[in-house]
Amino acid sequence: MTSISKQTRAPKVRGKARLVCKRTLLSAVFISMLLGGGLLVAPPFLGSAPALAQEVEVWKTRACDCCEGWVKHMRLAGFSMKVHTVDTLDTVKTVKGVPDSLVSCHTAVVDGYVAEGHVPASDLRRLLRERPRVTGLAAPGMPQSAPGMDMPGQPYEVIAFGASGGSMVYAHH
């Protein structure tokens, strides 16, 4: 009877050992995915902080202080900013496909999309989430209420523009 009891107990111990091994393996896989960048979005229990900052490359002129205000707005929104200070923006705007009617004081690129002028970070996040077939977004001119300008009271629109030259209102602010 003793040998039967030992045989009966042995599979239970092995079963627990297998369970522990599976848990250890799953834990190791999960941790390596986290550390290796396999999970690029934060789980819901971690709040709204981004796991990795999305890089924005921006071209601006030396004399424009409001552009620095927009760069600061974007950094506070969690974007990583790479700033190029240039003498003129004409070539950048032409190469990036910004229509003359939508020109503003600086031009940026984020994940292949163009951001012309003081486009709010929330609109760029929406663009990156929805991924419409457009060239980019523009806040034409220099709207006084836009991020970086920070003079409340003037409503403005953010325009989505496409490679074909067409445009449409993307957001009202």
Side-chain angles (χ1 to χ4, degrees):
M1 220 179 228
T2 309
S3 63
I4 295 173
S5 298
K6 286 182 182 177
Q7 288 176 353
T8 309
R9 289 183 187 161
K12 288 182 181 178
V13 172
R14 286 185 193 145
K16 285 182 182 177
R18 284 185 196 146
L19 183 59
V20 170
C21 286
K22 286 180 184 177
R23 284 184 185 161
T24 304
L25 178 63
L26 289 173
S27 296
V29 168
F30 181 73
I31 290 169
S32 66
M33 286 175 63
L34 281 174
L35 294 175
L39 296 178
L40 296 178
V41 291
F45 57 84
L46 291 179
S48 60
L52 297 173
Q54 182 80 41
E55 185 175 82
V56 178
E57 193 167 8
V58 61
W59 291 264
K60 66 176 214 57
T61 60
R62 297 179 207 299
C64 194
D65 291 332
C66 66
C67 297
E68 287 299 326
W70 183 78
V71 168
K72 182 179 177 183
H73 161 77
M74 295 297 289
R75 282 187 176 129
L76 289 173
F79 287 92
S80 171
M81 304 300 290
K82 182 177 182 181
V83 180
H84 304 280
T85 303
V86 296
D87 292 326
T88 180
L89 292 167
D90 296 338
T91 304
V92 172
K93 291 177 188 309
T94 301
V95 168
K96 301 301 179 190
V98 178
D100 290 340
S101 61
L102 300 179
V103 166
S104 188
C105 59
H106 58 268
T107 303
V109 174
V110 57
D111 201 20
Y113 287 106
V114 176
E116 178 66 15
H118 294 263
V119 176
S122 59
D123 291 347
L124 288 174
R125 289 231 184 266
R126 177 181 155 207
L127 178 80
L128 294 170
R129 186 176 58 250
E130 294 176 355
R131 314 264 336 144
R133 291 183 178 202
V134 298
T135 301
L137 300 178
M142 297 175 71
Q144 295 302 299
S145 296
M149 299 297 286
D150 303 322
M151 292 184 220
Q154 179 189 11
Y156 68 99
E157 296 176 332
V158 171
I159 308 297
F161 60 96
S164 64
S167 61
M168 65 180 182
V169 175
Y170 188 76
H172 297 277
H173 296 280

